[in-house]
Amino acid sequence: MLTRNCLSLLLWVLFDGGLLTPLHPQLQQTLEAQPRENVVTMPGRRSSAQRVKRGWVWNQFFVLEEYMGSEPQYVGKLHSDLDKGAGTVKYTLSGDGAGTVFTIDETTGDIHAIRSLDREEKPFYTLRAQAVDIDTRKPLEPESEFIIKVQDINDNEPKFLDGPYVASVPEMSPVGAYVLQVKATDADDPTYGNSARVVYSILQGQPYFSIDPKTGVIRTALPNMDREVKEQYQVLIQAKDMGGQLGGLAGTTTVNITLTDVNDNPPRFPKSIFHLKVPESSLVGSAIGRIRAVDPDFGKNAEIEYNIVPGDGGNLFDITTDENTQEGVIKLKKPLDFETKKAYTFKVEASNVHLDHRFHSVGPFKDTATVKINVLDVAEPPVFSKPMYTMEVYEDTPVGTIIGAVTAQDLDVGSSSVRYFIDRKSDADSYFTIDRSEGTIATNEILDRESTAQYNFSIIASKVSNPLLTSKVNVIINVLDVNEFPPEISVPYETSVCENAKPGQVIQTVSAADKDLSPAGQRFSFRLSPEASTKPNFTVQDYRNNTAGIETRRSGYSRRQQDLYFLPVVIEDSSYPVQSSTNTMTIHVCRCDSDGTILSCNVEAIFLPVGLSTGALIAILLCIVILLVIVVLYVALRRQKKKDTLMTSKEDIRDNVIHYDDEGGGEEDTQAFDIGALRNPKVIEDNKIRRDIKPDTLCLPRQRPPVEDNTDIRDFINQRLQENDVDPTAPPYDSLATYAYEGNGSVAESLSSIDSLTTETDQDYDYLSDWGPRFKVLAEMFGEEENYNTAKVT
């Protein structure tokens, strides 16, 4: 201790000439209880010949953290070479914590820490110092920067930031098997002393596990740890700083370690013999019992497979594994019969599905047990001798004819007699009956194969001693055919023959059909009827394969002479009794080309020009249509050209012509124009206003000179023209007016009723009857009107 103190004083003396003389951390800790003085000498103005001392970091101070003294903690001293001790120099301090954490004596330059510091919050402070002339306020030295470091003390314990931990290791692992690595963090300065040097140890969990004191790796410490004995372990880990020395701070965490399962245990049956009782009425495929082998392993290592060892009864039963319970489910493969065999014995083997080769030396991972099954007697329904019955009967068989019989037995001990019934749900129309004691089936209705060829119904058998025990069987009855229908042509044929047909030419192949159904198949024969055999037009050729051909007997057929032929064909079957029918075929005579292709079979085609084909006729029709189109276009163009010549230009207002295409309403229409002027030119209305235009203003009617009697129509028109010329309200263009006036001087006189002196009732229409039959209807119409008028006058 004395040696260290002397060395510290020596260093202070050597470096006191103008450099910072901080104590070395280890020396400072040693001299912590002794007065010390850290001095920073400002560079000042040195002569060029003055030697500058180097080799030490002059701009660092150290201050202890967590200082709890009553006085401010002395940090160090600032001193300038220009300070002669006369009080003319003022020291200032700025930077991190200046004035709040650190203060400086302006006269002496002493720096103190006025509050407790925590290195974990801020490890160092950067400050700037300057010496100023107290009178002139001018800097005597340039501003210098220095650092005050907070010196660490052991005030933080190690902490496990990731704890508590969860780990697992396989059971039966060897010693030293890796489990987990833990890590503790110490907030103290790892570069100073042992405050942050952590050492790990186990407080709880020995002797099963161990931990490396430096790395924190946890390993197994015992061999063959068995999960089936103990599965969960809780280990308490301690981390201590100061290298684990006395006085160091410590932190703890918990590690929960689970032993995982390995397949180190074979399955074992809890007993060697299993007894099961099974009713004989159990259904095939149903589960009849369960057995279980116990495996202390877990998960897939405990999965068990069950097998029946070949032997007695092994072919009647099967066994599967229930994946949820790992039980062996015994199922029935075939039906049981108490009366045949009452007990079965076989062995079942249980083995692991997933084996671990590391434990093969332990022994076989399987076990065997014996299963004994006792069959229980159950009252059973009667049993039919066949699973299904098939019978046959001819149609039209008399009612009450026995078709066949069914048989059922009671196989139980002390058998009972059996009664038979027809399930009416399957035979609702009661076509059959059954003898309740004997089981014979008979017809109850006349059967018709063409109506129903097959019947399917059920027979129920029940015990007399216990009617609730019933069984059912299906019965199929096929109705055999009796030949009662004659054969007929299968489909209606459209037969035709060419006019240029040759003798022996086949014009149609026909086939036949019969409603009867013979088991051996029907054979049909074809021939002409006797009355048709004398006519040499057509014949029938039987091909003896249930088809026949219609052949021509002569050459050339004329549609003009006869366009239809009727050929009667007789068809017979081969059943007994023989049935036959006569079928009349209609044969059309058609026009064909040289290859025999039919061109036309219509009667109207006879009157078409001979020698013209269909293409030629179509060409002629197209030419006619084209000519008609040309004529229509020519007429339309001529009419359009004529209309254009009559139509004047719109710029010439003198040549516009108004054309009216309305007829008017006859004598009853007195509003369209003045009909009186047409009847008699003498009749002139005084107040006549033009109707061809709408006048702008109402003008007074002009006076027209009277027209002399018997004035010719030319004078009448000239008079009207002159009136229009002098009319001030007339439009500034020519207006064409058409008057339906015949005039005088006609030899035949007027045929119109206008200006007629007689009435319609004075006319005599009897002369119409003398004009011939074409005027008969007209004579009758006017005759009836005359009779009506006569009756009305009367």
Side-chain angles (χ1 to χ4, degrees):
M1 179 68 71
L2 182 59
T3 303
R4 289 185 179 181
N5 294 338
C6 292
L7 181 60
S8 299
L9 292 175
L10 178 62
L11 291 174
W12 181 79
V13 171
L14 290 176
F15 291 96
D16 189 41
L19 296 177
L20 175 67
T21 57
L23 295 177
H24 190 274
Q26 293 182 353
L27 297 179
Q28 184 177 354
Q29 186 175 5
T30 305
L31 301 176
E32 195 172 28
Q34 301 179 13
R36 60 182 180 174
E37 184 177 8
N38 296 335
V39 180
V40 174
T41 303
M42 309 298 289
R45 296 177 177 84
R46 300 177 183 272
S47 63
S48 59
Q50 184 178 1
R51 184 174 62 89
V52 179
K53 299 177 181 179
R54 300 182 182 275
W56 186 260
V57 181
W58 68 271
N59 59 344
Q60 286 189 356
F61 284 109
F62 291 91
V63 59
L64 290 176
E65 69 168 335
E66 303 293 344
Y67 176 74
M68 304 301 293
S70 60
E71 298 294 334
Q73 183 180 186
Y74 179 76
V75 178
K77 181 181 183 67
L78 293 179
H79 183 73
S80 175
D81 293 341
L82 301 178
D83 186 4
K84 303 303 181 179
T88 61
V89 178
K90 177 182 178 182
Y91 296 96
T92 62
L93 189 66
S94 63
D96 292 343
T100 58
V101 179
F102 301 99
T103 60
I104 187 171
D105 190 314
E106 296 179 352
T107 303
T108 63
D110 294 331
I111 301 174
H112 291 83
I114 61 176
R115 49 175 281 192
S116 178
L117 302 180
D118 188 357
R119 189 200 68 85
E120 285 72 36
E121 290 183 4
K122 191 173 181 64
F124 63 89
Y125 296 84
T126 302
L127 295 101
R128 292 179 299 278
Q130 193 172 33
V132 181
D133 188 288
I134 196 169
D135 295 327
T136 64
R137 302 291 182 181
K138 293 182 179 180
L140 298 176
E141 302 284 352
E143 189 177 53
S144 299
E145 185 177 87
F146 64 95
I147 296 174
I148 299 178
K149 286 189 175 182
V150 181
Q151 190 173 7
D152 183 48
I153 63 173
N154 189 19
D155 59 342
N156 293 280
E157 73 277 3
K159 294 182 180 179
F160 293 92
L161 302 180
D162 298 329
Y165 296 87
V166 177
S168 63
V169 63
E171 64 172 336
M172 311 301 290
S173 296
V175 175
Y178 176 84
V179 179
L180 181 68
Q181 182 179 13
V182 296
K183 184 177 181 181
T185 302
D186 196 322
D188 292 329
D189 189 0
T191 63
Y192 175 73
N194 295 327
S195 299
R197 190 163 70 90
V198 179
V199 175
Y200 301 95
S201 61
I202 294 180
L203 300 181
Q204 176 184 332
Q206 294 176 338
Y208 304 104
F209 300 96
S210 63
I211 188 170
D212 189 297
K214 294 182 179 180
T215 62
V217 175
I218 302 174
R219 301 179 184 274
T220 58
L222 287 180
N224 301 329
M225 287 190 293
D226 194 355
R227 185 196 69 85
E228 288 74 30
V229 176
K230 186 176 182 180
E231 182 178 5
Q232 298 287 340
Y233 294 86
Q234 189 176 72
V235 179
L236 185 61
I237 304 297
Q238 174 184 268
K240 190 174 183 180
D241 58 11
M242 298 299 293
Q245 297 179 4
L246 185 64
L249 302 178
T252 59
T253 188
T254 301
V255 181
N256 295 311
I257 301 175
T258 302
L259 296 182
T260 59
D261 185 60
V262 297
N263 192 9
D264 59 337
N265 295 285
R268 292 286 183 264
F269 284 106
K271 53 184 179 181
S272 59
I273 300 177
F274 292 88
H275 294 275
L276 299 177
K277 295 181 179 180
V278 182
E280 63 174 339
S281 59
S282 299
L283 299 177
V284 174
S286 62
I288 60 175
R290 290 173 175 257
I291 61 174
R292 182 178 181 181
V294 179
D295 190 335
D297 292 328
F298 178 76
K300 68 176 185 178
N301 296 320
E303 293 181 1
I304 302 174
E305 182 181 13
Y306 297 90
N307 294 288
I308 294 178
V309 178
D312 182 26
N315 58 343
L316 268 75
F317 305 95
D318 192 12
I319 189 169
T320 58
T321 303
D322 188 331
E323 296 181 357
N324 296 324
T325 62
Q326 294 300 315
E327 293 178 319
V329 181
I330 301 175
K331 296 183 178 180
L332 193 62
K333 291 174 60 177
K334 296 181 180 180
L336 300 176
D337 188 9
F338 176 81
E339 288 72 25
T340 303
K341 192 170 184 179
K342 299 178 176 60
Y344 297 89
T345 302
F346 54 89
K347 290 185 178 181
V348 175
E349 182 182 82
S351 60
N352 279 134
V353 178
H354 306 282
L355 299 178
D356 194 334
H357 62 87
R358 295 176 299 175
F359 302 100
H360 284 175
S361 59
V362 178
F365 278 73
K366 59 183 179 181
D367 195 14
T368 304
T370 301
V371 178
K372 290 186 177 182
I373 296 179
N374 294 321
V375 181
L376 303 179
D377 187 22
V378 176
E380 298 176 305
V383 178
F384 285 96
S385 59
K386 296 180 181 180
M388 185 180 65
Y389 293 85
T390 302
M391 304 175 186
E392 295 179 347
V393 61
Y394 282 97
E395 62 178 337
D396 299 331
T397 299
V399 175
T401 302
I402 296 177
I403 304 172
V406 296
T407 304
Q409 277 185 309
D410 181 14
L411 301 179
D412 290 336
V413 178
S415 60
S416 171
S417 57
V418 179
R419 293 289 181 266
Y420 304 93
F421 308 92
I422 293 179
D423 186 1
R424 289 306 172 188
K425 294 181 181 179
S426 60
D427 184 26
D429 295 330
S430 301
Y431 285 104
F432 305 95
T433 61
I434 189 170
D435 187 280
R436 300 184 62 182
S437 300
E438 301 296 331
T440 56
I441 301 174
T443 60
N444 196 38
E445 297 285 347
I446 297 295
L447 305 180
D448 183 10
R449 192 205 66 81
E450 286 71 30
S451 175
T452 304
Q454 188 181 78
Y455 293 89
N456 189 344
F457 57 93
S458 301
I459 301 295
I460 300 174
S462 65
K463 286 185 178 182
V464 175
S465 59
N466 189 355
L468 297 179
L469 294 176
T470 61
S471 59
K472 184 182 293 187
V473 70
N474 286 337
V475 177
I476 297 176
I477 296 180
N478 296 317
V479 181
L480 303 180
D481 185 42
V482 175
N483 193 24
E484 55 182 339
F485 293 97
E488 297 176 351
I489 291 179
S490 57
V491 294
Y493 293 96
E494 292 289 338
T495 307
S496 59
V497 62
C498 294
E499 289 182 312
N500 56 357
K502 298 178 180 180
Q505 182 177 344
V506 178
I507 62 174
Q508 184 68 60
T509 301
V510 297
S511 60
D514 194 343
K515 294 182 180 179
D516 295 316
L517 179 63
S518 175
Q522 289 281 15
R523 293 295 302 274
F524 304 112
S525 62
F526 302 83
R527 69 175 188 275
L528 283 177
S529 64
E531 63 272 13
S533 301
T534 59
K535 298 179 181 180
N537 293 320
F538 303 95
T539 185
V540 177
Q541 181 66 37
D542 191 355
Y543 296 146
R544 300 189 182 279
N545 60 354
N546 290 344
T547 61
I550 308 300
E551 298 180 356
T552 58
R553 291 287 299 274
R554 61 185 178 86
S555 60
Y557 295 86
S558 176
R559 287 187 295 167
R560 297 180 181 273
Q561 296 178 0
Q562 186 175 350
D563 62 330
L564 288 177
Y565 290 90
F566 298 98
L567 183 65
V569 179
V570 178
I571 306 175
E572 292 183 354
D573 59 17
S574 59
S575 301
Y576 181 83
V578 176
Q579 299 286 347
S580 65
S581 65
T582 301
N583 301 264
T584 301
M585 298 184 61
T586 302
I587 302 175
H588 296 267
V589 180
C590 301
R591 184 168 63 87
C592 308
D593 58 10
S594 58
D595 296 332
T597 304
I598 297 176
L599 299 178
S600 176
C601 294
N602 297 329
V603 179
E604 293 79 0
I606 299 174
F607 303 100
L608 293 176
V610 180
L612 292 178
S613 63
T614 305
L617 293 176
I618 294 174
I620 293 172
L621 291 176
L622 288 176
C623 292
I624 294 172
V625 171
I626 293 172
L627 290 174
L628 289 176
V629 172
I630 292 173
V631 171
V632 171
L633 292 176
Y634 177 75
V635 173
L637 290 175
R638 288 295 301 271
R639 292 183 63 184
Q640 183 67 27
K641 184 176 181 182
K642 185 177 180 181
K643 185 182 295 185
D644 294 339
T645 57
L646 293 176
M647 187 69 68
T648 58
S649 175
K650 291 184 179 179
E651 284 80 8
D652 190 359
I653 62 175
R654 297 171 300 173
D655 297 331
N656 286 333
V657 178
I658 300 177
H659 182 72
Y660 299 95
D661 287 333
D662 54 343
E663 296 183 359
E667 295 181 5
E668 299 298 331
D669 188 0
T670 60
Q671 300 297 326
F673 55 86
D674 187 5
I675 197 63
L678 298 180
R679 291 184 177 180
N680 192 353
K682 297 179 181 180
V683 181
I684 301 175
E685 295 179 1
D686 295 335
N687 297 326
K688 179 79 171 169
I689 301 176
R690 290 178 57 92
R691 292 184 174 89
D692 54 352
I693 63 171
K694 182 178 181 181
D696 294 336
T697 60
L698 183 61
C699 61
L700 297 175
R702 59 185 179 275
Q703 299 295 328
R704 298 186 181 92
V707 182
E708 299 295 334
D709 295 338
N710 300 324
T711 302
D712 189 67
I713 187 63
R714 180 180 299 172
D715 298 334
F716 174 75
I717 294 176
N718 290 332
Q719 181 181 349
R720 289 291 186 264
L721 180 60
Q722 185 178 2
E723 291 176 0
N724 291 331
D725 290 338
V726 299
D727 187 1
T729 61
Y733 53 83
D734 292 340
S735 178
L736 179 60
T738 303
Y739 300 95
Y741 182 75
E742 296 182 7
N744 297 327
S746 176
V747 179
E749 295 183 351
S750 176
L751 296 178
S752 174
S753 62
I754 302 175
D755 201 20
S756 178
L757 299 177
T758 61
T759 62
E760 294 180 357
T761 57
D762 298 335
Q763 298 292 330
D764 185 8
Y765 299 101
D766 293 340
Y767 61 88
L768 294 176
S769 302
D770 301 334
W771 288 6
R774 294 186 179 181
F775 295 92
K776 182 180 179 180
V777 177
L778 188 61
E780 291 177 356
M781 292 174 57
F782 283 95
E784 292 176 358
E785 183 177 358
E786 183 177 358
N787 295 334
Y788 172 75
N789 293 332
T790 304
K792 184 176 181 182
V793 171
T794 304

